[in-house]
Amino acid sequence: MSELERRYHRLLRAYPADYRRARGAEIVDTYLDLAGPERRWPSPADAADLLRGGLRQRLRAAGAADLIPGVRLAAVLAFLTATALAGAWSGLELHPPMAQWGVPHAGPFVSLGIGVWAAWLLAAAVHAAAPGRWTRHAVALALLLTVAVVPVAALAGLPRPPLFVLLPQVGLGLVALGLPERPPMPVRSAPLLAVVAAGLTSVILLPRYDSYLSYHGWTASGVLPAAAVALLILVLLLGAGLALRADYRGGWALLVLLTPIGLLFLDPLAGAVDGNMGGAPNPGWDALAATAVAVGLAGPALLPLTIALRRRMRRPGPVRSGDRCPTCGRTAERVP
């Protein structure tokens, strides 16, 4: 056995054992036939393909084959929410406080957040024009800028959006990396339309200035929970409609979106933890950090628990006399 073949067999461990025994040799032979004579390592594309295939087969064996379609649905909804929020915050950034009020701002904008939201607007435009790989690159760039604005603002001594505004954007962006390759045109254009609608709404309705540098006060702490409620209602309605057709990807989408929804609720949740629901405008740093960690861990923990529960429910019981085989329809005559 060549070294390249051994390495393909190691990657093949991503598949369930029974699947490897049945089709492992055939799969490896196919990749070896397509590999060049000088190749010593599997290509990154081959490795990713084998890992994706192994994950798909393991989910199918666990009775969770609809998880991946559920992730794609969650990604579409997360990207729509993230771009709509970026449109709203972009409108807010256009109205910095007047110089005589002595409140710091970033030139003609409220904060350095304008660069972050511009990256998300670019991602919406790329998604409309070139979905798939280019959209994922654009989302990854927007995610990078969303995270980088915190140390950059600290080094430059300029204001930035609050963490309870940036964290939900990161959560939504991570889910949005799972966007489908070739969505239909309405799905491709929806984020761009949401950006335009949210931007115009923010310019008209959101306050130009308040005593907490625009993002604070009622503005972000009111918009973000409203976005969370809207996202939750939307995924519940979609999930219920799909479930009527025995399509349960909406349930998986809800599980995937629980963390972003919780992060959108981060400010009021942290306020409840901090005991500030009655009056203080902003929860303390410790309460925000503890609540963000709890929300960030709770959502991902529910996915493997749900998969394990589906596997347990899928496990067949003993065959009894009189039971019919669901495949051939024959009746069992005795207990094996």
Side-chain angles (χ1 to χ4, degrees):
M1 181 183 293
S2 68
E3 189 63 29
L4 179 61
E5 186 176 356
R6 288 193 185 92
R7 286 165 178 157
Y8 273 118
H9 275 287
R10 291 193 194 104
L11 289 172
L12 202 65
R13 292 173 186 169
Y15 286 80
D18 55 348
Y19 194 90
R20 292 199 304 269
R21 286 191 294 269
R23 300 194 57 191
E26 175 187 350
I27 293 173
V28 171
D29 288 344
T30 301
Y31 282 104
L32 290 174
D33 290 341
L34 296 174
E38 303 300 323
R39 181 174 294 176
R40 295 292 178 267
W41 289 87
S43 68
D46 288 350
D49 189 49
L50 281 167
L51 293 175
R52 281 196 302 266
L55 175 62
R56 192 177 296 112
Q57 291 300 327
R58 288 184 180 274
L59 291 174
R60 184 176 289 116
D66 45 2
L67 172 58
I68 293 178
V71 170
R72 294 194 186 104
L73 175 60
V76 170
L77 298 177
F79 189 60
L80 181 64
T81 306
T83 50
L85 287 172
W89 303 140
S90 297
L92 189 67
E93 287 280 354
L94 299 177
H95 304 296
M98 295 181 181
Q100 62 265 31
W101 285 342
V103 179
H105 53 90
F109 306 107
V110 168
S111 74
L112 292 180
I114 187 63
V116 175
W117 312 131
W120 284 102
L121 304 190
L122 174 64
V126 171
H127 183 58
R133 182 181 63 179
W134 289 107
T135 297
R136 284 193 294 274
H137 290 338
V139 171
L141 174 63
L143 272 171
L144 177 63
L145 292 178
T146 306
V147 174
V149 72
V150 176
V152 169
L155 291 173
L158 293 172
R160 56 162 173 80
L163 287 178
F164 74 87
V165 172
L166 296 173
L167 281 175
Q169 201 74 16
V170 172
L172 291 166
L174 289 174
V175 175
L177 289 172
L179 282 166
E181 290 285 339
R182 297 177 181 86
M185 182 55 69
V187 175
R188 290 168 56 179
S189 57
L192 200 55
L193 296 175
V195 163
V196 174
L200 291 175
T201 302
S202 70
V203 169
I204 296 170
L205 296 181
L206 294 186
R208 293 185 174 220
Y209 176 76
D210 62 31
S211 59
Y212 296 101
L213 192 57
S214 292
Y215 280 100
H216 294 278
W218 68 267
T219 308
S221 57
V223 170
L224 291 175
V229 171
L231 179 58
L232 179 61
I233 291 174
L234 181 57
V235 71
L236 286 175
L237 290 176
L238 284 173
L242 291 169
L244 293 175
R245 298 183 293 174
D247 184 346
Y248 301 108
R249 55 182 161 156
W252 293 110
L254 177 61
L255 286 175
V256 173
L257 288 170
L258 280 181
T259 291
I261 290 172
L263 291 174
L264 288 167
F265 266 112
L266 183 60
D267 191 54
L269 287 175
V273 171
D274 207 22
N276 289 339
M277 295 295 287
N282 297 300
W285 164 255
D286 292 342
L288 275 172
T291 307
V293 170
V295 169
L297 294 177
L302 287 174
L303 272 176
L305 290 176
T306 306
I307 292 172
L309 180 61
R310 288 284 292 269
R311 182 192 293 272
R312 187 177 183 85
M313 294 173 62
R314 185 182 175 87
R315 188 177 300 163
V319 179
R320 296 181 295 271
S321 179
D323 286 351
R324 285 187 177 274
C325 173
T327 303
C328 65
R330 297 175 62 184
T331 303
E333 296 181 357
R334 63 183 179 85
V335 178

